Amino acid sequence: SAVISQKPSRDICQRGTSLTIQCQVDSQVTMMFWYRQQPGQSLTLIATANQGSEATYESGFVIDKFPISRPNLTFSTLTVSNMSPEDSSIYLCSVAGTGEGYGYTFGSGTRLTVV
Amino acid sequence: GEDVEQSLFLSVREGDSSVINCTYTDSSSTYLYWYKQEPGAGLQLLTYIFSNMDMKQDQRLTVLLNKKDKHLSLRIADTQTGDSAIYFCAETEQAGTALIFGKGTTLSVSS
């Protein structure tokens, strides 16, 4: 299964600023997924990022707030823009597997605190 | 839209069996997964089952799928304190598309 390197692992940011989260995969993948996990909550899909096309955002998430880049088949970034305390969450990237069970792999997550 | 429901808490004694339940609404769900999340850690894939299967066993883990009732369960035999974590049920209709997650069940194992 793929291995994902996600960074930063955590950050404390001032409100109104932006943070860019990076995910590097050790193999080429078509789609990458970005999730948000608010404190004590489940994972909510933010967007799906295909290489060479605009990301597809889920209801409640917009490109101006969460711009995504996908410059190649092994890398993606998610930016959390103009942050407020409500953006304090864990952000995770994920890719689908290709082997038995198509098990999805997740990055270790970025724990963001906005003050 | 698609929805995945789980009970929020389960408490068991060490050595007992744990059964975590999940129901889903999308009848097209084809791939169903169980993930484990320990405090401060990422998501670990535990096991999976396809919709054309009724049961899958992997060491201490048994997954049962009732497709008619859209009900999925994860049984952990001989539960250990190291099994204490949050367990997420997740599903997708098509391999390679995004997973939809349940809210997670917090399993607490006491010695």
Side-chain angles (χ1 to χ4, degrees):
Chain A
S1 57
V3 175
I4 302 175
S5 174
Q6 181 174 346
K7 57 182 180 181
S9 59
R10 59 177 64 231
D11 207 340
I12 300 173
C13 300
Q14 297 289 324
R15 69 175 66 204
T17 63
S18 298
L19 175 72
T20 296
I21 302 166
Q22 300 179 3
C23 277
Q24 178 75 52
V25 190
D26 69 347
S27 58
Q28 293 184 334
V29 293
T30 304
M31 284 193 278
M32 292 181 71
F33 310 102
W34 286 97
Y35 289 86
R36 180 176 73 182
Q37 186 178 24
Q38 293 178 299
Q41 302 294 315
S42 184
L43 282 79
T44 301
L45 180 67
I46 298 172
T48 299
N50 263 331
Q51 193 268 334
S53 63
E54 292 273 336
T56 302
Y57 289 82
E58 297 299 302
S59 176
F61 298 96
V62 295
I63 187 171
D64 290 346
K65 176 67 175 177
F66 297 101
I68 288 172
S69 78
R70 186 78 204 277
N72 57 53
L73 289 172
T74 63
F75 187 78
S76 180
T77 67
L78 169 77
T79 299
V80 186
S81 303
N82 188 24
M83 287 184 286
S84 67
E86 292 70 35
D87 294 320
S88 297
S89 293
I90 299 173
Y91 293 84
L92 302 105
C93 59
S94 175
V95 300
T98 55
E100 180 187 346
Y102 305 101
Y104 290 65
T105 305
F106 286 79
S108 54
T110 297
R111 185 177 294 270
L112 170 62
T113 302
V114 183
V115 298
Chain B
E2 302 157 9
D3 196 19
V4 180
E5 295 287 340
Q6 297 179 240
S7 51
L8 295 182
F9 298 102
L10 177 64
S11 181
V12 301
R13 297 182 70 89
E14 192 173 24
D16 289 348
S17 291
S18 307
V19 179
I20 301 171
N21 294 300
C22 170
T23 58
Y24 56 96
T25 59
D26 186 358
S27 58
S28 299
S29 295
T30 303
Y31 305 88
L32 299 118
Y33 301 88
W34 285 102
Y35 281 84
K36 176 182 180 183
Q37 187 178 42
E38 295 179 85
L43 283 160
Q44 175 192 355
L45 175 63
L46 287 178
T47 188
Y48 66 90
I49 192 167
F50 297 147
S51 60
N52 62 357
M53 301 162 68
D54 298 323
M55 184 183 85
K56 184 172 187 284
Q57 187 150 3
D58 185 0
Q59 299 182 337
R60 291 192 298 124
L61 305 178
T62 303
V63 180
L64 295 178
L65 175 61
N66 182 326
K67 195 176 178 185
K68 173 175 168 289
D69 294 337
K70 303 191 190 74
H71 182 266
L72 183 72
S73 66
L74 174 70
R75 178 178 181 268
I76 305 173
D78 187 24
T79 312
Q80 303 297 306
T81 55
D83 294 322
S84 294
I86 302 175
Y87 290 80
F88 290 97
C89 168
E91 62 87 15
T92 186
E93 180 179 334
Q94 184 177 346
T97 59
L99 292 177
I100 305 299
F101 282 83
K103 287 182 170 41
T105 300
T106 299
L107 174 64
S108 175
V109 183
S110 57
S111 56

